[in-house]
Amino acid sequence: ATLRAEWTAPGIQPQMGTPAVRQVGLNSMAFDHWYESFSAGAPFTAVVSDLAPVVRARLEALQILSIAAVPVFADGEFWGFIGVDDCVTGRAWTDFETETLATAAVVVGAAISRRRMEESLRDATIKALLAADIGEVVTGAGDTVQQMLERCTAAIVNRLYPDFVRIWMVSEDLECLHACRAAGSLTIQEASSPDVPLVSAELQRIATSDSITMWRDGLPALWPGSEDVYQRSGLRAGAGFRLMTNGRITGVMVLLGRTSPPAAMIDALESVTDEIALAIERHHAQSARTRAELSYRRLVAATIEGIVIHDGSKVIDANPSIATMMGYSVDELIGMDPFIFIAPEYHDLVRGHVASNYQKPYEVEGVHRDGRRFPAELKGSDYVDAGCRLRVAAVRDITDRKAAQSAEARLREEQTARELAERTRERAQFLAEASRILASSLDTSTTLKQLAVLATPSLADYCVISTIQDRVVKNVAVVHSDPARESILHDAVNAWPESFPPGHPIYAALVDNRHFLAEDVTEETVNALAVSPEHLGYLRLLGARSLLAVPITLAGTLMGSMILSFTRPDRRYNAEDLALAQEFAHRAALALQSARSYHQVQLAARARDEMLAVVAHDLRNPLNTIIMGSELALEMAEQTSTSAPGTRQLEIIRRTAGHMNRLIQDLLDAGRLDSGGSLALETSALQPADLLREAGDMLAPMAAHGRIEFNVIADQDLPTIVADRSRLLQVLSNLVGNALKFTPKHGTITVTASVHDGAGASVDGVGATLNGEADVPADTAGASHDASASVDSVGATREIRFSVQDTGCGIPPDMLPHVFARGWQARRGDRRGIGLGLAIASGIVEAHGGRIWAESVVDEGSRFTFAIPAR
């Protein structure tokens, strides 16, 4: 066992650095009984004087007279234990004390398990991110292999923070390894590493090993001068990985560190070795392709099609055909801007295709040396030559072809444009009306029926919209554009069984998230769709000529179907109709999901409130027992007029239990507010000054304990308010408690009450503070919650304003609008609360018909104010 953390009472000597405590062999003969108890999940308690002589001598040497310990289990395994010692008396430990320790051990075990899970998730995330980074690097275009490998090492350093990483690449002739520049978190000064012969002993061992080569304490000479680098940088451990693809060694990667690299780092690097090896292999293949392109260039020199090679800014090479086409000689073309031969209005198009390595033919206008323009067809592709990205483009003069197509194309384009504009307008109107219908109500039956009416007759002669759950079909909307035939459609729908028959063609398409389309409905189609002789008869009477069924899905889940059909002989469903129907179905799915989500939220809120009530009830019984027991024990201690050693602990237990009771009430109040409920109030006539005095008596000891000056200022002749005394005390307690958390020692907290003329209208929006003595907060440096202050239609009413002002650190302007939000905390991870105090205070004030707001200046302090209407 190794001691991880220790706490000692005042006057007790810490043992954290004592070897006898830090290294205890629990499986030795002296402590074997402890180990057996812990492994079995049982606690161990003992008075030291009752233990075996060896154990007793060891513990008494550490001034331990009594000991109690409980095991900690993480992921079902015995991890360690929590122990408490009494160095004053040989006390006997109670069941309550051991149960309390056992509860703490469960929390510690859960925290350890969670930490392990978080570390595992973090390692997996880093591994995935590294793989993505390496994938992006090795698939990037334009880099040389050295640049690519250096970017790989940079990506590894960015994700894993190793001390040192380097990659060697096998040369194309397989004779040596080329090294890339080293990278790492250390600043390493080294001479340029020359190419290392492939037979280098250590690198050869890495390249031929079937597993990762590990160095735990001491590194071999990996390259000339590497020992000096190790000594200067303190490198002592590392790992070597071979890079192999298709059974061929392509390189070696080495990771070095001052300590042994963690397993997660090794695993992450091993996951990307194949990708890096494949990238090196692609580089070798690309080099071979470059040589082939050189041969190809010689072949195309005699073609009648113009060919030019350029790097985006100047012509590198050209054939005689392109020179003749443009009116230049080949020598004149070399070094010229290739875009001189293209009309300016096409420059952006061509540059975009060059940048994206577009390889399909496209048309531009060429420019002859004499300024004459002519239609041309371009087709190009990129290749890399000596590390430079070049593009070879083929140019064809298509003047004759364009002249023949020009007249026909113009007529066709004009007609198409008119038809497209009309269809687009109709489709936009159709979808806009669908959106309006869907937004009008959460009643799915009503909205889906309106959608079916909308679909006829523009998208169908009849429409059937159904919901599907577990193959059970519920027909929600059945509409026919011909009222005389709507009864037949209803008969056909009623003849449909409750669930889809197995193997039905429409259902088979729907469950695969596909549409079912019968452009021309034949007799065979009708027979395949019919589920019974009666149903077949109704389908024949309906006389569908073209039929389309689209699934209503959301996030891959089948929610329903929409069946559309034309009975007119001149209408057939096409791709445009399908796209419109699918968009129509998607909007119907959103309507269904919105309605379901709305009902699920209502059910979840109700379940949450019920659960909170049950938990609060179950927790309050033991809490009340703890509170009553601690209070009784304290009363007994006061009656004996003695200061027992456990009196302070009893006071801590009573305060902690009371705090837990308040937290439970806060959760219930917050849940009630979130679900739209209001807080119950027991109102009576109150004097604000009396209320502040009572709050001061309750809160002043807390301020005194923190060495903070606490002032209460209230006029004696303030008007009476009608309010719930305990609830307003809760608001003041929450505001003062919040101020105590952020006010340093020797600071000041001032609580005041004063009368004002209320605002003539509600405080609207976020970001309002008091502006001098203005009735309505109006500065953007603060935050407000409008709780519907008592205001009539004529003007303002009087109100009592209670303020809590501190000299703390203040609240930044960007945080101030959020202070009244549930769960808000000024500092993330602040364990002094759960972020409900200000939200509940706002709810209490709102229940009184009042309003609450905050204002703050960073490094100067904050002031929280709430107003209650005067009686």
Side-chain angles (χ1 to χ4, degrees):
T2 301
L3 183 62
R4 300 294 180 89
E6 179 186 49
W7 175 89
T8 60
I12 302 301
Q13 183 67 30
Q15 302 290 340
M16 190 71 168
T18 305
V21 176
R22 287 191 60 82
Q23 299 295 336
V24 180
L26 290 181
N27 55 356
S28 65
M29 291 300 295
F31 293 91
D32 55 351
H33 180 60
W34 293 27
Y35 188 82
E36 292 173 0
S37 296
F38 292 148
S39 299
F44 180 84
T45 61
V47 178
V48 172
S49 60
D50 298 334
L51 296 175
V54 176
V55 180
R56 182 174 68 247
R58 191 166 184 176
L59 296 179
E60 287 178 348
L62 301 173
Q63 300 179 350
I64 297 174
L65 302 181
S66 180
I67 187 167
V70 294
V72 175
F73 285 82
D75 297 327
E77 297 178 352
F78 173 42
W79 177 86
F81 66 88
I82 300 176
V84 292
D85 307 325
D86 195 324
C87 300
V88 178
T89 62
R91 63 183 293 180
W93 304 91
T94 66
D95 291 342
F96 172 78
E97 291 167 329
T98 56
E99 290 173 359
T100 303
L101 283 178
T103 301
V106 171
V107 175
V108 172
I112 293 168
S113 299
R114 184 183 63 208
R115 176 63 60 86
R116 290 176 178 174
M117 185 182 301
E118 291 172 348
E119 290 175 351
S120 175
L121 179 61
R122 179 198 63 200
D123 293 341
T125 302
I126 293 175
K127 181 177 177 181
L129 292 174
L130 175 61
D133 292 346
I134 294 297
E136 182 178 356
V137 170
V138 300
T139 56
D143 286 343
T144 65
V145 67
Q146 284 287 346
Q147 292 170 335
M148 181 271 293
L149 292 179
E150 288 173 6
R151 289 178 62 196
C152 285
T153 58
I156 292 170
V157 171
N158 183 52
R159 292 297 181 188
L160 302 181
Y161 305 104
D163 292 332
F164 179 97
V165 63
R166 163 169 279 162
I167 300 174
W168 281 270
M169 173 190 67
V170 176
S171 62
E172 292 186 56
D173 56 10
L174 304 180
E175 292 183 356
C176 66
L177 291 168
H178 298 293
C180 76
R181 184 181 298 119
S185 59
L186 292 175
T187 302
I188 299 175
Q189 300 294 332
E190 59 167 334
S192 59
S193 177
D195 294 342
V196 180
L198 188 59
V199 294
S200 172
E202 207 49 49
L203 294 179
Q204 175 80 6
R205 186 164 72 90
I206 299 172
T208 57
S209 175
D210 292 334
S211 59
I212 300 172
T213 303
M214 299 296 298
W215 305 291
R216 302 295 182 185
D217 189 11
L219 296 170
L222 294 172
W223 70 88
S226 59
E227 294 91 340
D228 294 336
V229 174
Y230 304 158
Q231 185 174 3
R232 290 196 305 270
S233 304
L235 301 174
R236 294 188 52 82
F241 307 80
R242 72 173 180 179
L243 305 177
M244 173 179 284
T245 179
N246 297 325
R248 179 175 179 268
I249 302 296
T250 61
V252 172
M253 179 168 60
V254 170
L255 169 72
L256 305 179
R258 289 165 289 187
T259 59
S260 294
M265 184 181 293
I266 297 295
D267 183 51
L269 279 179
E270 187 179 15
S271 68
V272 298
T273 54
D274 290 344
E275 193 73 20
I276 297 175
L278 184 60
I280 296 173
E281 182 72 14
R282 283 200 300 266
H283 165 73
H284 294 326
Q286 188 175 9
S287 298
R289 187 174 66 249
T290 301
R291 291 191 295 271
E293 288 177 350
L294 292 175
S295 300
Y296 172 75
R297 184 175 62 85
R298 300 187 186 98
L299 294 175
V300 299
T303 183
I304 61 173
E305 195 173 52
I307 296 184
V308 61
I309 299 175
H310 65 89
D311 62 1
S313 60
K314 62 181 180 299
V315 175
I316 305 299
D317 203 352
N319 71 343
S321 297
I322 189 68
T324 302
M325 190 182 301
M326 299 300 175
Y328 297 88
S329 67
V330 172
D331 292 338
E332 288 176 322
L333 289 177
I334 303 302
M336 294 181 67
D337 184 352
F339 287 91
I340 290 178
F341 316 119
I342 300 173
E345 59 267 28
Y346 291 92
H347 284 186
D348 290 342
L349 172 66
V350 177
R351 291 186 193 277
H353 287 341
V354 170
S356 62
N357 191 22
Y358 186 76
Q359 298 183 13
K360 294 182 179 180
Y362 61 98
E363 296 178 2
V364 298
E365 282 193 355
V367 179
H368 192 269
R369 184 172 192 169
D370 60 11
R372 175 176 53 85
R373 294 189 176 194
F374 61 93
E377 182 182 80
L378 294 185
K379 181 180 180 182
S381 63
D382 292 351
Y383 71 97
V384 177
D385 182 19
C388 297
R389 180 171 176 245
L390 302 178
R391 186 169 182 84
V392 57
V395 184
R396 177 179 297 175
D397 187 339
I398 57 172
T399 301
D400 295 338
R401 187 176 73 187
K402 294 297 292 183
Q405 296 173 349
S406 179
E408 180 182 358
R410 283 196 300 268
L411 291 175
R412 187 169 56 251
E413 288 173 359
E414 290 175 0
Q415 181 179 2
T416 301
R418 286 194 298 269
E419 294 174 352
L420 178 61
E422 181 63 23
R423 290 196 301 270
T424 302
R425 183 186 63 80
E426 293 175 353
R427 178 173 178 173
Q429 291 178 345
F430 182 86
L431 293 178
E433 180 62 18
S435 297
R436 185 195 66 77
I437 292 173
L438 292 173
S440 63
S441 172
L442 285 173
D443 183 356
T444 56
S445 297
T446 301
T447 54
L448 292 181
K449 287 178 181 177
Q450 290 178 317
L451 287 180
V453 172
L454 178 64
T456 54
S458 59
L459 191 58
D461 288 328
Y462 66 80
C463 173
V464 178
I465 300 178
S466 308
T467 59
I468 301 174
Q469 189 170 8
D470 297 329
R471 296 184 62 180
V472 176
V473 181
K474 180 181 179 182
N475 299 307
V476 181
V478 180
V479 176
H480 200 296
S481 60
D482 184 358
R485 302 176 67 84
E486 190 161 35
S487 61
I488 301 175
L489 179 61
H490 278 279
D491 291 338
V493 169
N494 292 334
W496 186 266
E498 184 177 352
S499 60
F500 268 105
H504 193 276
I506 292 182
Y507 183 74
L510 296 178
V511 295
D512 288 338
N513 197 20
R514 294 181 293 106
H515 65 275
F516 174 85
L517 174 62
E519 294 184 17
D520 292 285
V521 176
T522 63
E523 184 65 23
E524 290 77 14
T525 305
V526 175
N527 291 332
L529 296 180
V531 296
S532 65
E534 181 185 15
H535 187 233
L536 176 62
Y538 291 128
L539 291 182
R540 288 173 176 170
L541 290 175
L542 287 173
R545 299 295 183 95
S546 186
L547 188 139
L548 173 63
V550 292
I552 299 176
T553 61
L554 195 64
T557 301
L558 179 63
M559 305 174 68
S561 66
M562 181 181 297
I563 298 177
L564 307 166
S565 178
F566 283 119
T567 59
R568 288 168 281 174
D570 59 333
R571 284 292 275 121
R572 296 290 186 274
Y573 285 109
N574 53 31
E576 189 171 290
D577 295 326
L578 173 60
L580 181 59
Q582 289 174 331
E583 177 63 23
F584 197 50
H586 175 67
R587 301 193 182 202
L590 292 177
L592 287 174
Q593 183 62 29
S594 297
R596 291 183 181 179
S597 298
Y598 174 74
H599 294 302
Q600 289 171 357
V601 166
Q602 287 183 320
L603 293 175
R606 189 179 303 113
R608 180 201 61 196
D609 292 342
E610 292 173 355
M611 178 61 70
L612 282 176
V614 171
V615 170
H617 179 271
D618 291 346
L619 286 177
R620 276 181 164 171
N621 288 335
L623 276 178
N624 289 334
T625 301
I626 293 172
I627 293 172
M628 289 188 293
S630 59
E631 289 177 349
L632 179 59
L634 287 171
E635 290 177 4
M636 294 173 65
E638 291 175 358
Q639 291 173 2
T640 59
S641 300
T642 60
S643 179
T647 301
R648 182 171 177 271
Q649 283 71 21
L650 287 171
E651 291 176 347
I652 292 173
I653 291 173
R654 182 178 63 179
R655 287 199 305 270
T656 303
H659 180 63
M660 292 176 65
N661 202 13
R662 287 193 299 273
L663 288 179
I664 292 172
Q665 185 59 46
D666 285 350
L667 287 173
L668 288 174
D669 290 345
R672 188 176 296 111
L673 292 172
D674 283 350
S675 62
S678 60
L679 301 178
L681 301 179
E682 297 180 3
T683 60
S684 60
L686 301 176
Q687 287 294 335
D690 295 341
L691 187 67
L692 255 61
R693 278 194 296 272
E694 184 175 355
D697 293 340
M698 177 178 62
L699 301 171
M702 298 170 60
H705 179 74
R707 299 181 185 178
I708 297 172
E709 181 181 347
F710 187 77
N711 300 318
V712 177
I713 303 173
D715 298 336
Q716 295 298 323
D717 56 350
L718 292 175
T720 303
I721 59 174
V722 176
D724 187 321
R725 182 185 62 82
S726 62
R727 285 294 191 178
L728 290 191
L729 285 175
Q730 183 181 357
V731 174
L732 290 170
S733 176
N734 288 351
L735 295 181
V736 173
N738 190 67
L740 287 171
K741 287 195 294 185
F742 301 103
T743 302
K745 292 181 179 179
H746 309 299
T748 302
I749 296 176
T750 303
V751 183
T752 63
S754 57
V755 63
H756 290 262
D757 289 335
S762 298
V763 181
D764 188 14
V766 179
T769 75
L770 284 175
N771 184 9
E773 289 299 319
D775 287 331
V776 180
D779 195 306
T780 58
S784 72
H785 266 206
D786 178 13
S788 302
S790 177
V791 179
D792 58 29
S793 60
V794 178
T797 62
R798 303 179 75 195
E799 61 185 14
I800 305 301
R801 292 184 184 175
F802 298 86
S803 294
V804 176
Q805 184 164 356
D806 61 61
T807 58
C809 58
I811 304 171
D814 60 330
M815 293 185 179
L816 201 54
H818 309 291
V819 296
F820 295 104
R822 178 180 177 181
W824 180 87
Q825 290 179 307
R827 301 185 182 96
R828 284 187 180 176
D830 195 331
R831 299 181 181 272
R832 293 171 294 181
I834 57 177
L836 296 178
L838 295 180
I840 292 174
S842 174
I844 293 174
V845 172
E846 179 179 358
H848 283 82
R851 54 198 179 100
I852 187 169
W853 64 92
E855 51 187 320
S856 183
V857 177
V858 176
D859 296 331
E860 294 185 13
S862 305
R863 180 169 64 175
F864 285 80
T865 305
F866 66 93
I868 302 297
R871 188 174 183 179

